[in-house]
Amino acid sequence: MLALSIMVFELLDERIQKILEKKSIREPTDPQKDAIPHILEGEHVLLVAPTGIGKTEAAMLPVFHKILRAEGEGIKCLYITPLRALNRDMLRRFSEFGADLGINVAVRHGDTAQSERDKQARIAPKVLITTPETLQILFTGRKLRRHLENVQWVIIDEIHELASDERGAQLAVALERLVDFSGEFQRIGLSATVGTASEVAKFLGGVGRKVTIIQTDVIKTLDIRVQGPEITEEDKELAGILQSDPQLVACMRRGRELIESHRSTLFFVNTRDTAEALAARYHIWDENFPIGVHHGSLSKEIREEMEEAFRSEKIKALICTSSLELGIDIGSADFAIQYNSPRQVTRLVQRIGRSGHGVGKVSKGIIIASTPDEIAESLVIARRALHGELEASIVREKPLTVLANQIISLAMSGDVKIDDAYRIFTRAYPFRNLTRDEFMDVLNQLGQIGLLRISIDSFKRSGRGMRYFYENVSMIPDEKTYRIRDIGSRKVVGSLDESFVVSFAEPYATFITRGRTWRIIEIREDELLVEQVREIGSIPSWVGEEIPVPFEVAQEVGALRSKQDFENYPGDNEAFRKLKEYLDKQNERYPMPTDNFLTLDVGRRVVVLNACFGSRVNETIAILLSLLLSARLGESVSVRTDPYRILIELPRDIAPLMILETIKSIKAENARELIKKAIRNSSFMRWRFIYVAKKFGVIEKGADYRSINLSRLIEIFENTPLYQEAINKILWEDLDLERTVEILKKIEREEIKIEICGISPIGMSGLEHSRDLIMPQRADHSILVALKNRLEDEVAYLTCLNCHNQWRSTPRNLPKHIACPKCKGVMVAALHSYNKDQAKLLKKKRLTEEEKKEIQKIYKNANLVKEYGKKAVLVLSARGVGPDTAARILSGFYENEDEFLRGILSAEIQYARTKRFWD
């Protein structure tokens, strides 16, 4: 073994061997031992190996060896990663090697300074680290194109992140374009998690090239457990302070215990809003708790600051999303926490694999699950991870958005022969089956839109086409963002999506980012000026957050419910107890929904179809049911889904048998046509059509969505490649038509049975449970008491509309009926600290339209205080509750004080909860 290892390093240039000796690296790791000989032989290689055992060096050491022997100038090696942060890491790691070997290594991406770009154009580095998007730009520069003619090696890191999406299809075409510049080059793909290595290898190689797959059989032990923390009395008390569910607080407490018992912990969550919510609550709980937050909507400076603080152990934990899922160097974490199910096995393997970073080390992690559904899903995903049962990697065929984008990209270099363009596309694996007619349809549509000028056998870009290219370099869905600037330091702390700003942002509103609460001082055209405050603010939402649960995972959850055999699942006793208690409660009076048995839970104007089919199948069935039930009832039927349920909200009570008959009436052979008909008016269509229309150049970047007549636009482009791509994109990314057809056939053959019952515990958990971190499932009395205490101590600036006298008080100290102590007037408004100065408008003679609106609000406010007294001031003290909302709360009927306080809490929640624009 040792002799063979030494032989592998002896294949490398002596200068490389000396550097390895100096670094005390005397024996290669298994991936290095397996891959280096194949790469030195010039083979295309896909290397799949666990995180932290030298994959990168397995690729770069033999490439450095070959560069030392290569002649000529220009870029010899392109190292492509999906993230800019990974680029920075690779530059750090390669620069030392490069300096000792006399090989210039540089990085180029969106953040690269212009001076550095100019330098690279003059003197090309031998190794250029970049992203798929920047590679598109490299093709457009005359000097850079000349440097690309010398490329002999392309390495794609974290290739699994690219293979199945549009960025990957764009990259696949770019590699074929590169072949036309440089001739054939050696291709090397690296990944820690690949479900279907053969498919990813085909993606890497393109059509007609053999790729050697090396899956290193290194046992890097994963130690994963699922825990379901029990709620304590302390958790209940803390829930009131943190305005949260006691179960979430129990999870936070357990997370803190684990963080404090380890040296360095990565705390993974699924969405950016969850990261912000948890970080903010930890800081409200204990300002000095050494925890940071890291996600893609924080500014580059803040992300780097957090990475360095974690690397240097100034903080003990970092709450993060997929932004730290990949191989970014953030030092040596000895533990990983996953809050709730990671939804997919590959994500769990990536995330837990970030701990115990190194050869022979065990990757240790805990999934902290908050509900029985989360526990069951986490147990299944953990088991599948420990057994290496990853999701399949599938490359989408013929994404027409990428075809349109890349046709215009090709035209940026001048006139393009149609035959040459078609040949380039069909060499790329995603477009291997693209027909000439499909290609010409897209080309002609781009000509009709005005992005291209097409002649008999060639095409070239128009002026509009050039503008399109620079606005659409990336295939990542974009939405206008606003910078968040700290008014004190003038530092940019992050960004917010337009949908959040439009629906929420106003002066003095508070929101959370960087794990801290900020108050908006001013909203400008492209940025928000903010100041930091110590309270719980609203959680922003960002585009593209939800992770779908795969069909296989949901099916195993169903099987676990059926067998209730937890022996092979890695959970603690409390997790098993909670899950068993949940399932026992179901079994007491109701049938159990499983992998092959559905229950139809019927309540008043609501029905829950419990179905363990995963996110995309349930979404597909839901769309079909909504279409058919709406047609049958002649009224709109609303549906919502999760991986285990379809929730149907009916306009009126109907016979349960009608719903069952409707489900059974969906014939498998008609499903495809029905779904296409249903999609046209679905919420999916708006978001997907606008995205595709942007990528086809029909809608320009930055266009005001409010001015778009979407129905008219869809009508104009019906039966075009653009419209078909919007449909195909929904079918690929949001729905699962093929598996839905299989399910429908099984229902027809009665292999899957359906039983009607009342609303069961499993059905009820779907109705009650929200993943929103602010909203308790149902606020208990302790939370409502905490809310009342907070509101009673809020300072109100009481302002007399008669004599303009203003005085401070709190609802707790006010009499039941309120009058001005100076003039005894009863028209008194209760203002907040941030708008108390608006009382000056009462004295103003000439008012603007905006000022008149503010005066109207003050009078509405005063009328409420006159009618409801102290009670009105209490309601008006709630966050985000203006006079209109307060009037609705105060005029409502409540059986007791708890119900009244729940009304106030709901208003605060509504104010705080961000509504995604596309819903």
Side-chain angles (χ1 to χ4, degrees):
M1 168 76 177
L2 185 59
L4 181 62
S5 298
I6 292 170
M7 280 174 62
V8 168
F9 276 167
E10 284 180 350
L11 296 172
L12 300 171
D13 188 282
E14 285 185 9
R15 287 165 285 184
I16 297 174
Q17 292 182 49
K18 285 178 182 175
I19 295 170
L20 294 172
E21 186 70 30
K22 188 171 74 174
K23 291 176 174 286
S24 300
I25 301 172
R26 296 183 176 84
E27 188 175 343
T29 63
D30 281 3
Q32 291 162 4
K33 178 166 60 70
D34 293 342
I36 286 172
H38 290 280
I39 294 171
L40 287 173
E41 285 295 318
E43 298 172 28
H44 303 302
V45 169
L46 172 63
L47 174 58
V48 183
T51 303
I53 58 171
K55 278 194 305 293
T56 306
E57 288 73 17
M60 278 308 299
L61 290 177
V63 169
F64 276 136
H65 168 91
K66 289 190 163 196
I67 291 174
L68 289 170
R69 285 158 171 70
E71 295 180 356
E73 297 303 314
I75 300 166
K76 299 296 182 186
C77 172
L78 284 173
Y79 193 100
I80 299 170
T81 82
L83 294 176
R84 294 177 188 180
L86 266 175
N87 288 355
R88 293 193 295 271
D89 278 347
M90 293 306 139
L91 183 63
R92 268 198 301 268
R93 292 170 69 177
F94 297 163
S95 290
E96 191 177 339
F97 266 104
D100 289 345
L101 295 170
I103 296 172
N104 183 18
V105 180
V107 68
R108 188 179 181 114
H109 50 57
D111 294 335
T112 304
Q114 188 59 49
S115 58
E116 175 63 19
R117 296 181 193 204
D118 293 342
K119 180 182 170 186
Q120 291 170 8
R122 289 193 309 273
I123 306 168
K126 291 289 177 68
V127 177
L128 183 65
I129 305 163
T130 190
T131 60
E133 289 73 30
T134 301
L135 178 56
Q136 297 291 314
I137 301 291
L138 296 181
F139 287 125
T140 64
R142 183 172 49 82
K143 291 180 181 177
L144 289 168
R145 278 206 309 273
R146 196 168 66 246
H147 294 320
L148 288 176
E149 292 172 4
N150 302 289
V151 170
Q152 296 178 42
W153 301 276
V154 173
I155 300 170
I156 306 172
D157 203 351
E158 306 288 1
I159 192 170
H160 67 280
E161 278 289 305
L162 297 166
S164 58
D165 67 13
E166 291 181 357
R167 292 181 79 201
Q170 185 189 49
L171 177 59
V173 175
L175 293 180
E176 298 309 325
R177 292 176 64 190
L178 186 59
V179 169
D180 282 5
F181 281 103
S182 64
E184 289 290 345
F185 48 82
Q186 188 175 4
R187 305 173 183 218
I188 302 164
L190 306 176
S191 180
T193 51
V194 169
T196 316
S198 58
E199 179 82 346
V200 176
K202 290 172 186 172
F203 165 81
L204 173 65
V207 174
R209 299 181 191 90
K210 181 177 180 295
V211 176
T212 301
I213 299 170
I214 300 173
Q215 288 187 283
T216 305
D217 187 21
V218 174
I219 299 173
K220 189 184 181 201
T221 310
L222 286 173
D223 182 352
I224 307 170
R225 306 289 293 173
V226 178
Q227 296 185 352
E230 188 174 4
I231 299 170
T232 66
E233 287 303 315
E234 180 191 345
D235 296 331
K236 291 178 183 177
E237 290 174 19
L238 192 55
I241 298 167
L242 300 182
Q243 298 175 42
S244 201
D245 192 313
Q247 185 59 67
L248 168 64
V249 175
C251 292
M252 285 179 61
R253 172 181 48 75
R254 182 57 186 143
R256 182 170 183 169
E257 291 166 359
L258 290 166
I259 289 165
E260 289 174 339
S261 63
H262 291 88
R263 180 177 51 80
S264 195
T265 301
L266 286 172
F267 195 141
F268 284 101
V269 296
N270 293 336
T271 62
R272 286 169 274 187
D273 48 0
T274 306
E276 291 291 4
L278 285 175
R281 280 161 175 74
Y282 273 122
H283 287 135
I284 293 290
W285 183 5
D286 181 354
E287 180 64 28
N288 298 315
F289 187 49
I291 194 166
V293 64
H294 187 291
H295 59 70
S297 288
L298 294 172
S299 67
K300 183 186 88 166
E301 292 75 19
I302 296 298
R303 290 198 305 271
E304 289 179 352
E305 183 185 308
M306 289 292 176
E307 289 163 22
E308 181 52 38
F310 188 75
R311 199 180 288 118
S312 60
E313 298 186 14
K314 289 178 184 171
I315 55 177
K316 281 182 70 69
L318 200 51
I319 300 176
C320 51
T321 59
S322 54
S323 61
L324 286 183
E325 197 174 285
L326 305 183
I328 300 166
D329 178 18
I330 36 78
S332 179
D334 66 336
F335 198 68
I337 296 171
Q338 167 68 44
Y339 172 69
N340 276 333
S341 161
R343 312 297 175 221
Q344 296 171 354
V345 181
T346 48
R347 288 186 179 272
L348 183 63
V349 172
Q350 285 280 147
R351 293 173 177 188
I352 302 300
R354 297 309 314 275
S355 70
H357 213 69
V359 182
K361 291 187 177 177
V362 175
S363 292
K364 294 182 179 180
I366 293 288
I367 304 174
I368 301 175
S370 61
T371 67
D373 278 347
E374 293 285 357
I375 290 169
E377 188 175 288
S378 299
L379 288 169
V380 166
I381 289 175
R383 187 206 66 74
R384 295 175 79 89
L386 292 170
H387 288 81
E389 298 171 21
L390 307 182
E391 290 84 20
S393 303
I394 305 170
V395 176
R396 183 188 168 196
E397 278 201 49
K398 299 186 283 192
L400 300 186
T401 45
V402 177
L403 178 59
N405 176 274
Q406 288 299 282
I407 285 174
I408 294 165
S409 184
L410 276 170
M412 290 297 291
S413 304
D415 279 15
V416 183
K417 294 289 184 185
I418 290 174
D419 288 347
D420 292 344
Y422 180 64
R423 180 176 46 79
I424 287 170
F425 278 103
T426 52
R427 287 202 314 253
Y429 183 67
F431 294 99
R432 64 197 180 278
N433 295 320
L434 179 72
T435 67
R436 180 77 177 212
D437 286 347
E438 288 169 330
F439 175 78
M440 290 306 299
D441 284 346
V442 173
L443 183 73
N444 288 328
Q445 181 155 21
L446 293 173
Q448 291 161 9
I449 292 165
L451 300 176
L452 296 174
R453 295 192 180 97
I454 305 170
S455 62
I456 294 170
D457 63 350
S458 67
F459 61 89
K460 61 182 179 180
R461 63 157 178 83
S462 64
R464 187 179 167 196
M466 182 168 72
R467 187 167 68 249
Y468 163 91
F469 171 78
Y470 286 109
E471 288 181 348
N472 292 277
V473 170
S474 173
M475 297 307 297
I476 300 169
D478 67 290
E479 183 180 9
K480 180 179 176 182
T481 58
Y482 288 73
R483 291 189 301 273
I484 307 164
R485 190 180 297 278
D486 183 351
I487 199 168
S489 67
R490 309 304 295 179
K491 198 174 179 181
V492 174
V493 296
S495 64
L496 291 173
D497 281 350
E498 183 178 38
S499 56
F500 179 80
V501 174
V502 167
S503 63
F504 165 82
E506 59 185 39
Y508 309 106
T510 58
F511 66 95
I512 294 169
T513 195
R514 200 184 166 191
R516 308 283 178 175
T517 301
W518 306 81
R519 177 180 288 129
I520 298 170
I521 303 302
E522 184 182 343
I523 302 170
R524 295 183 172 177
E525 186 179 349
D526 57 359
E527 70 177 17
L528 278 68
L529 298 184
V530 300
E531 64 180 2
Q532 193 171 323
V533 293
R534 185 171 163 76
E535 59 182 76
I536 293 289
S538 295
I539 316 294
S541 72
W542 287 274
V543 168
E545 288 279 275
E546 289 302 319
I547 302 168
V549 174
F551 175 77
E552 295 84 0
V553 168
Q555 282 280 278
E556 188 172 337
V557 168
L560 183 63
R561 287 178 182 175
S562 175
K563 296 169 187 171
Q564 294 191 38
D565 180 0
F566 306 140
E567 187 179 345
N568 297 317
Y569 292 89
D572 70 355
N573 290 334
E574 183 60 19
F576 291 143
R577 185 193 67 76
K578 281 187 172 180
L579 181 55
K580 189 170 188 314
E581 187 178 275
Y582 177 63
L583 298 178
D584 286 349
K585 194 173 178 184
Q586 177 77 14
N587 275 325
E588 278 176 16
R589 293 178 51 202
Y590 301 92
M592 179 68 70
T594 66
D595 51 332
N596 56 13
F597 187 85
L598 313 185
T599 64
L600 194 65
D601 294 14
V602 181
R604 292 201 61 186
R605 294 173 59 183
V606 66
V607 172
V608 183
L609 178 62
N610 292 299
C612 298
F613 297 143
S615 302
R616 288 175 174 152
V617 173
N618 279 0
E619 197 66 63
T620 312
I621 294 172
I623 287 176
L624 291 170
L625 278 176
S626 177
L627 176 74
L628 295 176
L629 283 170
S630 295
R632 200 160 181 175
L633 297 174
E635 295 180 71
S636 178
V637 172
S638 172
V639 291
R640 289 181 292 124
T641 68
D642 67 33
Y644 309 100
R645 300 166 192 83
I646 298 166
L647 290 80
I648 306 166
E649 294 177 21
L650 299 164
R652 61 180 185 275
D653 286 331
I654 61 173
L657 279 174
M658 179 191 282
I659 300 167
L660 183 59
E661 286 167 8
T662 304
I663 295 168
K664 291 184 173 182
S665 73
I666 307 171
K667 300 300 178 188
E669 62 267 23
N670 301 330
R672 185 174 295 276
E673 288 309 310
L674 271 176
I675 204 72
K676 285 183 178 179
K677 183 180 177 183
I679 282 172
R680 196 186 193 288
N681 298 314
S682 72
S683 59
F684 291 120
M685 191 61 171
R686 181 182 182 91
W687 169 233
R688 297 302 183 194
F689 186 87
I690 287 180
Y691 168 78
V692 173
K694 283 182 178 180
K695 294 306 171 190
F696 269 76
V698 170
I699 298 174
E700 292 193 357
K701 189 172 183 177
D704 186 349
Y705 55 80
R706 290 164 295 188
S707 66
I708 297 169
N709 184 337
L710 189 62
S711 299
R712 177 69 182 137
L713 205 58
I714 290 172
E715 195 178 303
I716 290 168
F717 285 97
E718 201 160 0
N719 301 318
T720 67
L722 189 161
Y723 181 87
Q724 189 55 48
E725 172 64 3
I727 296 288
N728 289 344
K729 195 168 173 62
I730 292 168
L731 292 175
W732 176 261
E733 297 191 12
D734 303 310
L735 309 178
D736 187 341
L737 189 54
E738 302 311 315
R739 282 209 179 92
T740 300
V741 168
E742 289 174 21
I743 295 297
L744 292 172
K745 285 178 180 175
K746 287 184 176 180
I747 291 173
E748 286 175 25
R749 296 193 297 262
E750 296 192 345
E751 292 172 21
I752 293 177
K753 297 189 184 299
I754 308 171
E755 186 172 327
I756 297 170
C757 62
I759 299 291
S760 68
I762 285 178
M764 182 60 75
S765 69
L767 292 170
E768 289 182 347
H769 179 51
S770 166
R771 287 180 181 162
D772 190 320
L773 286 167
I774 306 170
M775 180 69 169
Q777 290 181 27
R778 181 166 174 83
D780 63 22
H781 182 68
S782 63
I783 291 174
L784 296 173
V785 168
L787 170 69
K788 185 181 179 184
N789 287 336
R790 170 170 65 79
L791 294 179
E792 286 192 329
D793 290 329
E794 288 280 350
V795 174
Y797 288 82
L798 297 157
T799 305
C800 177
L801 273 57
N802 179 43
C803 70
H804 306 150
N805 177 36
Q806 192 173 73
W807 71 101
R808 288 175 46 155
S809 187
T810 62
R812 190 185 301 279
N813 295 323
L814 285 170
K816 188 174 181 181
H817 299 290
I818 298 163
C820 173
K822 190 173 178 182
C823 73
K824 307 304 178 189
V826 292
M827 284 294 284
V828 176
L831 304 179
H832 291 270
S833 58
Y834 60 78
N835 68 348
K836 69 180 190 301
D837 291 339
Q838 288 178 348
K840 293 174 184 175
L841 297 175
L842 296 166
K843 302 176 185 178
K844 200 171 173 184
K845 296 271 196 262
R846 300 179 67 180
L847 297 168
T848 66
E849 287 304 314
E850 282 301 312
E851 286 170 340
K852 286 176 184 175
K853 288 177 184 175
E854 292 304 321
I855 287 287
Q856 286 174 359
K857 287 182 186 176
I858 292 171
Y859 272 91
K860 284 182 182 177
N861 182 314
N863 277 319
L864 290 174
V865 175
K866 179 183 176 184
E867 184 174 355
Y868 295 100
K870 174 178 178 173
K871 196 174 182 182
V873 180
L874 184 85
V875 175
L876 288 161
S877 297
R879 294 188 180 95
V881 174
D884 289 337
T885 305
R888 194 163 61 248
I889 294 169
L890 290 162
S891 61
F893 172 76
Y894 303 99
E895 291 182 0
N896 51 47
E897 186 180 62
D898 275 10
E899 289 303 315
F900 170 65
L901 290 169
R902 281 196 182 96
I904 300 174
L905 180 60
S906 293
E908 285 201 330
I909 298 296
Q910 189 65 25
Y911 175 68
R913 180 187 290 132
T914 303
K915 295 177 179 174
R916 294 181 186 276
F917 168 69
W918 303 113
D919 286 350

